[in-house]
């Protein structure tokens, strides 16, 4: 239970940071780098904004109990899986390492929260 909370909190903090940059663009260097990735993948700024909104939803709801916490963890799992697919297809596998980490952690939380229901 404590491990699930700690991992959920870590994912929440990370994805609040990442999503706020995608949504608001407040950190110019990271925002520009991410936008270049999205454009390289043939995705628009609007899609980047949408991904940021999904990440923010997951980051906030992963800390909840019950089914909403499972849905939050699953939304982070899906965005991480999507990031891996795009990195593998258009970049090198090394660019996907952070996404692999968040995929593994969100999978752990999803599984644990689902078993707590």
């Amino acid at each position: 239970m404590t491990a699930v909370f700690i991992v959920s909190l870590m994912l929440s903090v990370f994805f609040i940071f990442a999503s706020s940059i995608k949504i608001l663009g407040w950190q110019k260097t990271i925002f520009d780098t991410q936008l270049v990735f999205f454009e390289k993948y043939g995705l628009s700024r609007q899609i980047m904004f949408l991904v940021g909104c999904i990440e923010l939803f997951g980051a906030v709801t992963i800390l909840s109990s019950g089914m909403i916490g499972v849905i939050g963890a699953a939304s982070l799992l899906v965005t991480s899986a999507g990031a891996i697919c795009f990195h593998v297809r258009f970049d090198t596998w090394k660019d996907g390492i952070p996404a692999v980490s968040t995929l593994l952690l969100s999978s752990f939380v999803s599984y644990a929260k689902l078993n707590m229901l």
Side-chain angles (χ1 to χ4, degrees), residues 61-80:
T61 57
I62 196 172
L63 297 173
S64 300
S65 60
M67 196 58 170
I68 194 74
V70 175
I71 293 169
S75 69
L76 297 181
L77 189 152
V78 169
T79 56
S80 298

Side-chain angles (χ1 to χ4, degrees), residues 11 15 19 21 25 29 34 39 43 49 57 62 64-65 73-75 78 83 85 89 93 98 101 108 113 115-116:
L11 284 167
F15 277 105
S19 66
I21 293 172
T29 305
Q34 289 183 349
E39 289 173 343
L43 303 173
F49 179 85
F57 169 80
I62 196 172
S64 300
S65 60
S75 69
V78 169
C85 291
R89 173 133 163 53
W93 65 271
S101 300
F108 164 73
K113 285 184 175 270
N115 283 332
M116 288 180 201

Side-chain angles (χ1 to χ4, degrees), residues 15 22 37-38 41 43 47 51 54-55 73-92 95-104 106-107:
F15 277 105
K22 287 180 183 79
F37 275 123
F38 273 77
Y41 306 154
L43 303 173
I47 298 297
V51 169
I54 294 167
E55 289 175 345
S75 69
L76 297 181
L77 189 152
V78 169
T79 56
S80 298
I84 292 167
C85 291
F86 278 100
H87 283 302
V88 168
R89 173 133 163 53
F90 294 101
D91 304 316
T92 67
D95 293 316
I97 290 173
V100 170
S101 300
T102 57
L103 175 80
L104 293 172
S106 58
S107 297

